[in-house]
Amino acid sequence: MLSRYKTVYEGGEGELIEKKSRFIATVKPVKTEEEAQAFIEETKKKYWDARHNCHVYSVGEKREFTRCSDDGEPSGTAGRPMLDVILGEDIYNVAVVVTRYFGGVLLGTGGLVRAYSGAVQEGLRNSTIIEKIHGISLEVSTDYTGIGKLQYIAGERKLPILDSKYTDKVKLHLMIPDDEIEAVQKEITEGTNGRAVMKKEKELYFAVIDGEVVIFED
């Protein structure tokens, strides 16, 4: 299991023109190889009149399902450059189709490589890329004298606070990455002189998107 990884939260499109040829990149998050293949077929139907619909996808925490296709372009000028962008950006569980409408001018090997890789980069720029972090939700209860210390720890470590309740005690729900759990618990215990009561709730993936905490069940 990956403790953290980059992936696409919301796919987008990018386009570039190279010597009258039009390259359109369509990016989509996928969880399985079947999802990736269905997306590719769907995009090919959408752009049925294009000269080429080259694709790449990489699925699985060990990239178990990683494929690319030149779709009729000279070998190594489309699919592999597209894959190099995905691997270079270290993005998982993603599929990209680059559609080419031929403009009548041959681009040559170097021109094709630049165009296909550039189109993928443009598509990723127009997508929402996030870092999914595996960790736990931790319920922390303390008296009011400990709230300042808890907020300080959360702020210093940039730990998202899912929820907070103020009754006769203060109860916070913190998101903590796997590699910080022990250190955070120790810091809370020391910072509150042992008054805080901590309870691990569940393991999950989370990400911070536009300042909001998003929980993933996968």
Side-chain angles (χ1 to χ4, degrees), residues 146-158:
I147 184 59
K149 190 62 180 180
L150 289 182
Q151 291 173 332
Y152 173 78
I153 292 170
E156 281 292 293
R157 288 183 170 271
K158 296 182 172 59

Side-chain angles (χ1 to χ4, degrees), residues 38-58:
F39 160 66
I40 292 163
E41 290 307 311
E42 177 186 312
T43 308
K44 283 183 175 181
K45 286 178 183 176
K46 179 180 178 180
Y47 295 110
W48 60 271
D49 57 339
R51 177 72 68 91
H52 305 281
N53 281 291
C54 306
H55 71 258
V56 61
Y57 60 84
S58 185

Side-chain angles (χ1 to χ4, degrees), residues 5-63:
Y5 65 94
K6 285 168 64 179
T7 190
V8 177
Y9 180 65
E10 190 173 297
E13 289 189 358
E15 183 175 335
L16 60 81
I17 307 294
E18 186 71 29
K19 294 182 179 178
K20 299 181 180 180
S21 276
R22 184 182 174 205
F23 294 84
I24 306 165
T26 308
V27 181
K28 185 178 178 66
V30 291
K31 292 183 179 179
T32 65
E33 186 171 32
E34 290 72 23
E35 273 187 36
Q37 292 170 343
F39 160 66
I40 292 163
E41 290 307 311
E42 177 186 312
T43 308
K44 283 183 175 181
K45 286 178 183 176
K46 179 180 178 180
Y47 295 110
W48 60 271
D49 57 339
R51 177 72 68 91
H52 305 281
N53 281 291
C54 306
H55 71 258
V56 61
Y57 60 84
S58 185
V59 180
E61 63 179 37
K62 295 180 180 177
R63 301 192 183 278

